[in-house]
Amino acid sequence: MEKTLAIIKPDAVARGLTGDILKRIEAAGLSIRAIRKLHLTRAQAELFYAVHKARPFYADLCKYMTSGPVVVAVLAAEGAIAKWRELMGATDPAKAAPGTIRREFGQNIEANATHGSDAPETAGQEIAFFFSGMEILS
Ligand code: GDP
């Protein structure tokens, strides 16, 4: 069973969309194995997005991700990484397919409602960033 990390980003949490998004996650057959609400510090956001350090939007992205609480969750399913990214849709809500979370709930390319790991290696790193092994249902 593959695992991936999901984040419901500050814009979606602030607009009361947590329940809607979790409902879609479960309806798609993704099992929630751990979940927590937290407010990232600037240092934590910078570390989480360190891979984007050289990109022009890095500072804006870190500011946005610390603008309010987020919900982080570990999702499990066969092919969970691809499944969750498909459910989210493309990074830019304007380009995301109809019916996807980002298309329906995202506001712009930055405030795009959710995050999902993009590969097995990053999924492992991102899950370990937020959860210890004993906090995750096997
Ligand atoms: P993802 O894997 O679909 O989340 O996309 P990326 O890894 O490329 O980007 C990480 C996050 O950075 C995205 O989810 C957006 O929140 C933000 N982002 C991506 N591209 C841009 C951009 O061109 N401008 C801004 N302001 N934010 C961006």
Side-chain angles (χ1 to χ4, degrees):
M1 202 71 123
E2 189 173 67
K3 290 190 177 77
T4 190
L5 182 84
I7 305 179
I8 304 177
K9 294 184 176 181
D11 63 297
V13 171
R15 286 179 294 141
L17 297 170
T18 302
D20 283 339
I21 292 171
L22 293 177
K23 190 168 184 177
R24 283 170 180 243
I25 285 171
E26 293 195 305
L30 287 153
S31 164
I32 299 168
R33 299 301 175 92
I35 189 162
R36 187 159 82 243
K37 192 176 206 176
L38 59 101
H39 196 145
L40 283 167
T41 64
R42 179 75 185 208
Q44 288 167 338
E46 286 177 356
L47 201 55
F48 184 78
Y49 280 116
V51 63
H52 291 312
K53 207 166 189 161
R55 316 251 313 248
F57 56 82
Y58 178 66
D60 273 349
L61 175 61
C62 293
K63 186 175 172 199
Y64 153 63
M65 288 300 289
T66 57
S67 64
V70 298
V71 172
V72 294
V74 177
L75 310 181
E78 295 295 337
I81 295 170
K83 206 168 191 171
W84 172 228
R85 286 190 70 90
E86 196 185 326
L87 197 62
M88 290 198 303
T91 308
D92 183 353
K95 294 181 183 148
T100 58
I101 289 172
R102 283 169 161 174
R103 176 65 170 262
E104 299 208 358
F105 300 138
Q107 303 190 100
N108 54 58
I109 195 167
E110 181 176 270
N112 58 2
T114 51
H115 166 86
S117 310
D118 62 3
E121 195 189 350
T122 43
Q125 291 165 355
E126 291 179 0
I127 288 168
F129 187 89
F130 289 107
F131 296 98
S132 67
M134 67 182 291
E135 292 174 310
I136 306 167
L137 294 174
S138 55

PDB file of all heavy atoms in Angstrom, residues 7 22-23 36 38 42 45 53 59 62-63 72 76 79 108 128 130 132:
ATOM      1  N   ILE A   7      -1.526  18.097   2.016  1.00  0.00           N
ATOM      2  CA  ILE A   7      -1.696  19.290   2.852  1.00  0.00           C
ATOM      3  C   ILE A   7      -2.911  20.058   2.334  1.00  0.00           C
ATOM      4  O   ILE A   7      -3.025  20.298   1.130  1.00  0.00           O
ATOM      5  CB  ILE A   7      -0.471  20.239   2.819  1.00  0.00           C
ATOM      6  CG1 ILE A   7       0.815  19.497   3.199  1.00  0.00           C
ATOM      7  CG2 ILE A   7      -0.699  21.423   3.765  1.00  0.00           C
ATOM      8  CD1 ILE A   7       2.073  20.379   3.168  1.00  0.00           C
ATOM      9  N   LEU A  22     -11.637  16.569   2.658  1.00  0.00           N
ATOM     10  CA  LEU A  22     -11.468  15.236   3.258  1.00  0.00           C
ATOM     11  C   LEU A  22     -12.528  14.265   2.730  1.00  0.00           C
ATOM     12  O   LEU A  22     -12.262  13.079   2.519  1.00  0.00           O
ATOM     13  CB  LEU A  22     -11.539  15.322   4.788  1.00  0.00           C
ATOM     14  CG  LEU A  22     -10.380  16.069   5.464  1.00  0.00           C
ATOM     15  CD1 LEU A  22     -10.606  16.141   6.973  1.00  0.00           C
ATOM     16  CD2 LEU A  22      -9.034  15.402   5.162  1.00  0.00           C
ATOM     17  N   LYS A  23     -13.729  14.773   2.481  1.00  0.00           N
ATOM     18  CA  LYS A  23     -14.795  13.924   1.945  1.00  0.00           C
ATOM     19  C   LYS A  23     -14.411  13.393   0.556  1.00  0.00           C
ATOM     20  O   LYS A  23     -14.607  12.222   0.245  1.00  0.00           O
ATOM     21  CB  LYS A  23     -16.088  14.747   1.870  1.00  0.00           C
ATOM     22  CG  LYS A  23     -17.307  13.934   1.556  1.00  0.00           C
ATOM     23  CD  LYS A  23     -18.570  14.737   1.781  1.00  0.00           C
ATOM     24  CE  LYS A  23     -19.769  13.827   1.543  1.00  0.00           C
ATOM     25  NZ  LYS A  23     -21.027  14.505   1.816  1.00  0.00           N
ATOM     26  N   ARG A  36      -3.389  15.920  11.136  1.00  0.00           N
ATOM     27  CA  ARG A  36      -3.141  16.923  12.179  1.00  0.00           C
ATOM     28  C   ARG A  36      -3.312  18.332  11.614  1.00  0.00           C
ATOM     29  O   ARG A  36      -3.000  18.573  10.457  1.00  0.00           O
ATOM     30  CB  ARG A  36      -1.722  16.771  12.726  1.00  0.00           C
ATOM     31  CG  ARG A  36      -1.428  17.659  13.914  1.00  0.00           C
ATOM     32  CD  ARG A  36      -0.249  17.161  14.743  1.00  0.00           C
ATOM     33  NE  ARG A  36       1.019  17.560  14.159  1.00  0.00           N
ATOM     34  CZ  ARG A  36       1.923  16.701  13.712  1.00  0.00           C
ATOM     35  NH1 ARG A  36       1.719  15.410  13.755  1.00  0.00           N
ATOM     36  NH2 ARG A  36       3.045  17.144  13.210  1.00  0.00           N
ATOM     37  N   LEU A  38      -2.072  22.237  12.044  1.00  0.00           N
ATOM     38  CA  LEU A  38      -0.959  22.970  12.636  1.00  0.00           C
ATOM     39  C   LEU A  38      -0.710  24.264  11.886  1.00  0.00           C
ATOM     40  O   LEU A  38      -1.197  24.445  10.764  1.00  0.00           O
ATOM     41  CB  LEU A  38       0.312  22.109  12.632  1.00  0.00           C
ATOM     42  CG  LEU A  38       0.792  21.640  11.259  1.00  0.00           C
ATOM     43  CD1 LEU A  38       1.939  22.483  10.772  1.00  0.00           C
ATOM     44  CD2 LEU A  38       1.173  20.169  11.294  1.00  0.00           C
ATOM     45  N   ARG A  42       7.781  30.075   9.843  1.00  0.00           N
ATOM     46  CA  ARG A  42       8.501  30.449   8.615  1.00  0.00           C
ATOM     47  C   ARG A  42       9.655  29.459   8.351  1.00  0.00           C
ATOM     48  O   ARG A  42       9.853  29.012   7.228  1.00  0.00           O
ATOM     49  CB  ARG A  42       9.032  31.885   8.777  1.00  0.00           C
ATOM     50  CG  ARG A  42       9.814  32.393   7.610  1.00  0.00           C
ATOM     51  CD  ARG A  42       8.902  32.743   6.449  1.00  0.00           C
ATOM     52  NE  ARG A  42       9.692  33.115   5.284  1.00  0.00           N
ATOM     53  CZ  ARG A  42       9.282  33.942   4.349  1.00  0.00           C
ATOM     54  NH1 ARG A  42       8.087  34.487   4.411  1.00  0.00           N
ATOM     55  NH2 ARG A  42      10.034  34.221   3.316  1.00  0.00           N
ATOM     56  N   ALA A  45       8.310  26.208   6.967  1.00  0.00           N
ATOM     57  CA  ALA A  45       7.870  26.334   5.567  1.00  0.00           C
ATOM     58  C   ALA A  45       9.074  26.399   4.632  1.00  0.00           C
ATOM     59  O   ALA A  45       9.088  25.774   3.562  1.00  0.00           O
ATOM     60  CB  ALA A  45       6.997  27.579   5.407  1.00  0.00           C
ATOM     61  N   LYS A  53      13.845  26.649  -3.473  1.00  0.00           N
ATOM     62  CA  LYS A  53      14.587  27.820  -3.001  1.00  0.00           C
ATOM     63  C   LYS A  53      15.008  28.773  -4.123  1.00  0.00           C
ATOM     64  O   LYS A  53      14.973  29.991  -3.960  1.00  0.00           O
ATOM     65  CB  LYS A  53      15.835  27.337  -2.237  1.00  0.00           C
ATOM     66  CG  LYS A  53      16.318  28.294  -1.214  1.00  0.00           C
ATOM     67  CD  LYS A  53      17.324  27.627  -0.285  1.00  0.00           C
ATOM     68  CE  LYS A  53      17.631  28.535   0.879  1.00  0.00           C
ATOM     69  NZ  LYS A  53      18.219  27.824   2.004  1.00  0.00           N
ATOM     70  N   ALA A  59       9.841  32.979  -1.739  1.00  0.00           N
ATOM     71  CA  ALA A  59       9.529  33.797  -0.552  1.00  0.00           C
ATOM     72  C   ALA A  59       8.016  33.976  -0.400  1.00  0.00           C
ATOM     73  O   ALA A  59       7.469  33.852   0.705  1.00  0.00           O
ATOM     74  CB  ALA A  59      10.222  35.153  -0.649  1.00  0.00           C
ATOM     75  N   CYS A  62       6.423  30.703   0.857  1.00  0.00           N
ATOM     76  CA  CYS A  62       6.657  30.474   2.288  1.00  0.00           C
ATOM     77  C   CYS A  62       5.778  31.405   3.130  1.00  0.00           C
ATOM     78  O   CYS A  62       5.242  31.004   4.171  1.00  0.00           O
ATOM     79  CB  CYS A  62       8.129  30.655   2.628  1.00  0.00           C
ATOM     80  SG  CYS A  62       9.162  29.369   1.883  1.00  0.00           S
ATOM     81  N   LYS A  63       5.595  32.640   2.673  1.00  0.00           N
ATOM     82  CA  LYS A  63       4.731  33.593   3.392  1.00  0.00           C
ATOM     83  C   LYS A  63       3.287  33.095   3.384  1.00  0.00           C
ATOM     84  O   LYS A  63       2.600  33.091   4.411  1.00  0.00           O
ATOM     85  CB  LYS A  63       4.831  34.962   2.711  1.00  0.00           C
ATOM     86  CG  LYS A  63       4.116  36.055   3.441  1.00  0.00           C
ATOM     87  CD  LYS A  63       4.362  37.392   2.779  1.00  0.00           C
ATOM     88  CE  LYS A  63       3.463  38.450   3.421  1.00  0.00           C
ATOM     89  NZ  LYS A  63       3.328  39.630   2.566  1.00  0.00           N
ATOM     90  N   VAL A  72      -2.435  18.612   7.705  1.00  0.00           N
ATOM     91  CA  VAL A  72      -1.535  17.669   7.039  1.00  0.00           C
ATOM     92  C   VAL A  72      -2.053  16.252   7.285  1.00  0.00           C
ATOM     93  O   VAL A  72      -2.545  15.949   8.378  1.00  0.00           O
ATOM     94  CB  VAL A  72      -0.076  17.798   7.535  1.00  0.00           C
ATOM     95  CG1 VAL A  72       0.501  19.138   7.132  1.00  0.00           C
ATOM     96  CG2 VAL A  72       0.033  17.619   9.034  1.00  0.00           C
ATOM     97  N   ALA A  76      -3.256   6.671   2.184  1.00  0.00           N
ATOM     98  CA  ALA A  76      -2.756   5.396   1.682  1.00  0.00           C
ATOM     99  C   ALA A  76      -3.739   4.783   0.697  1.00  0.00           C
ATOM    100  O   ALA A  76      -4.963   4.902   0.865  1.00  0.00           O
ATOM    101  CB  ALA A  76      -2.511   4.428   2.846  1.00  0.00           C
ATOM    102  N   GLY A  79      -1.225   3.012  -5.461  1.00  0.00           N
ATOM    103  CA  GLY A  79      -0.980   4.168  -6.327  1.00  0.00           C
ATOM    104  C   GLY A  79      -1.448   5.476  -5.716  1.00  0.00           C
ATOM    105  O   GLY A  79      -1.937   6.377  -6.417  1.00  0.00           O
ATOM    106  N   ASN A 108      -5.647  30.696  -7.131  1.00  0.00           N
ATOM    107  CA  ASN A 108      -4.650  31.074  -8.146  1.00  0.00           C
ATOM    108  C   ASN A 108      -3.495  30.078  -8.062  1.00  0.00           C
ATOM    109  O   ASN A 108      -3.545  29.153  -7.251  1.00  0.00           O
ATOM    110  CB  ASN A 108      -4.176  32.527  -7.933  1.00  0.00           C
ATOM    111  CG  ASN A 108      -3.671  32.739  -6.517  1.00  0.00           C
ATOM    112  OD1 ASN A 108      -2.757  32.070  -6.063  1.00  0.00           O
ATOM    113  ND2 ASN A 108      -4.309  33.648  -5.788  1.00  0.00           N
ATOM    114  N   ALA A 128       7.714  12.022   6.796  1.00  0.00           N
ATOM    115  CA  ALA A 128       8.607  12.049   7.967  1.00  0.00           C
ATOM    116  C   ALA A 128       8.800  13.466   8.503  1.00  0.00           C
ATOM    117  O   ALA A 128       9.129  13.655   9.679  1.00  0.00           O
ATOM    118  CB  ALA A 128       9.950  11.435   7.603  1.00  0.00           C
ATOM    119  N   PHE A 130       6.439  15.607   8.975  1.00  0.00           N
ATOM    120  CA  PHE A 130       5.307  15.952   9.847  1.00  0.00           C
ATOM    121  C   PHE A 130       4.927  14.879  10.868  1.00  0.00           C
ATOM    122  O   PHE A 130       4.316  15.197  11.887  1.00  0.00           O
ATOM    123  CB  PHE A 130       4.065  16.258   9.006  1.00  0.00           C
ATOM    124  CG  PHE A 130       4.154  17.554   8.250  1.00  0.00           C
ATOM    125  CD1 PHE A 130       4.346  17.575   6.886  1.00  0.00           C
ATOM    126  CD2 PHE A 130       4.053  18.766   8.926  1.00  0.00           C
ATOM    127  CE1 PHE A 130       4.422  18.783   6.189  1.00  0.00           C
ATOM    128  CE2 PHE A 130       4.124  19.974   8.245  1.00  0.00           C
ATOM    129  CZ  PHE A 130       4.315  19.976   6.872  1.00  0.00           C
ATOM    130  N   SER A 132       5.805  11.103  13.070  1.00  0.00           N
ATOM    131  CA  SER A 132       6.723  10.034  13.464  1.00  0.00           C
ATOM    132  C   SER A 132       6.046   8.704  13.110  1.00  0.00           C
ATOM    133  O   SER A 132       4.817   8.650  12.941  1.00  0.00           O
ATOM    134  CB  SER A 132       7.012  10.094  14.956  1.00  0.00           C
ATOM    135  OG  SER A 132       5.847   9.783  15.680  1.00  0.00           O
TER     136      SER A 132
END
